[in-house]
Amino acid sequence: MVRARARTRWQWKRSERITAGLAAASLASAGTVLGGQFARMLSRRAADADDSEGVVEAAPAAALDTVGVAVEGYSAAPRSETVLFNLLSGFLGAFAFIRLSTFGIRSGWWPFGNTTIRGTHIHHFVPGILISFASGTTALLTDNDSLEDKLAIPMGVGMGLTFDEAALLLDLRDVYWTRQGLLSVQLSLGVSAILGSAILGMRMLQRGEQHQEEVGAIPVGHPGQMVLRQNRRN
């Protein structure tokens, strides 16, 4: 009995360490990207400033520069990247919000309680699936590229709500706050890492393709692709 309890505690701590490691890796990767961009903007502002102005005085302007670069980069990015970015944003936003709200409900400080219909608790994977289905179906029915790009956000929201209860769906038991429930967090962090890696990978491949076209190593794309690429640059 004692050995069983000790093994259970060890497994719980091991799952917690894995989850904490995945969360730290996700935060570190995002922080490195944003922090690196801010550092570059700060370096430029500090070098361009008067001698009377130091790094601290240049920090607000560097922060605004970083935001401007992010907005311009989003506008100039290829459609495939914006779709994945919107999907990732909706996914992470929904995952963070629902984790905060469920923790608040459990702790008693969240202003709203669980959603119930005639005494039946409605888990948030239900609206998550409905939101994903609705946004995906709408994207298939429309011919508006701009609308399709925006629909990636609610689809990501639906995915975030669903993946947050992946352990419940796999186990068919309410294991949200148990050791088995950590599987939902691990899967969600894994999906976030996959989406982020896909965005970076696509950007690297597209830049490589463009460079290879310029040096004549590969055939140039069809005219439609060239026009779209030129419009993205402008």
Side-chain angles (χ1 to χ4, degrees), residues 19-33:
T19 306
L22 288 170
S26 300
L27 292 174
S29 60
T32 300
V33 173

Side-chain angles (χ1 to χ4, degrees), residues 62-228:
L64 292 176
D65 291 341
T66 302
V67 174
V69 167
V71 173
E72 182 62 28
Y74 177 85
S75 302
R79 182 170 178 268
S80 56
E81 292 182 12
T82 58
V83 169
L84 285 174
F85 181 81
N86 290 345
L87 196 67
L88 177 60
S89 300
F91 183 91
L92 289 176
F95 174 73
F97 174 79
I98 203 63
R99 275 284 156 176
L100 177 64
S101 63
T102 51
F103 178 77
I105 292 172
R106 193 165 186 249
S107 302
W109 54 264
W110 191 256
F112 307 103
N114 292 319
T115 301
T116 57
I117 297 179
R118 295 181 179 179
T120 301
H121 173 60
I122 305 300
H123 291 275
H124 49 264
F125 72 80
V126 175
I129 293 174
L130 293 177
I131 293 171
S132 293
F133 283 179
S135 56
T137 302
T138 305
L140 290 173
L141 294 175
T142 183
D143 292 328
N144 189 325
D145 290 345
S146 178
L147 178 60
E148 289 178 5
D149 292 355
K150 294 180 175 61
L151 284 170
I153 297 177
M155 189 166 189
V157 170
M159 290 173 57
L161 295 176
T162 304
F163 268 87
D164 187 54
E165 293 198 310
L168 185 151
L169 294 172
L170 292 173
D171 204 283
L172 298 181
R173 292 184 296 120
D174 193 355
V175 293
Y176 193 82
W177 293 109
T178 66
R179 178 174 59 85
Q180 292 83 357
L182 285 177
L183 176 63
S184 298
V185 181
Q186 294 168 355
L187 286 174
S188 298
L189 292 173
V191 170
S192 302
I194 291 172
L195 289 173
S197 300
I199 295 172
L200 294 175
M202 290 181 67
R203 176 169 288 275
M204 179 183 67
L205 291 173
Q206 287 170 353
R207 286 180 176 175
E209 179 181 337
Q210 179 183 346
H211 177 73
Q212 292 293 83
E213 287 179 354
E214 291 174 351
V215 300
I218 60 175
V220 179
H222 60 76
Q225 289 180 329
M226 299 299 293
V227 171
L228 179 60

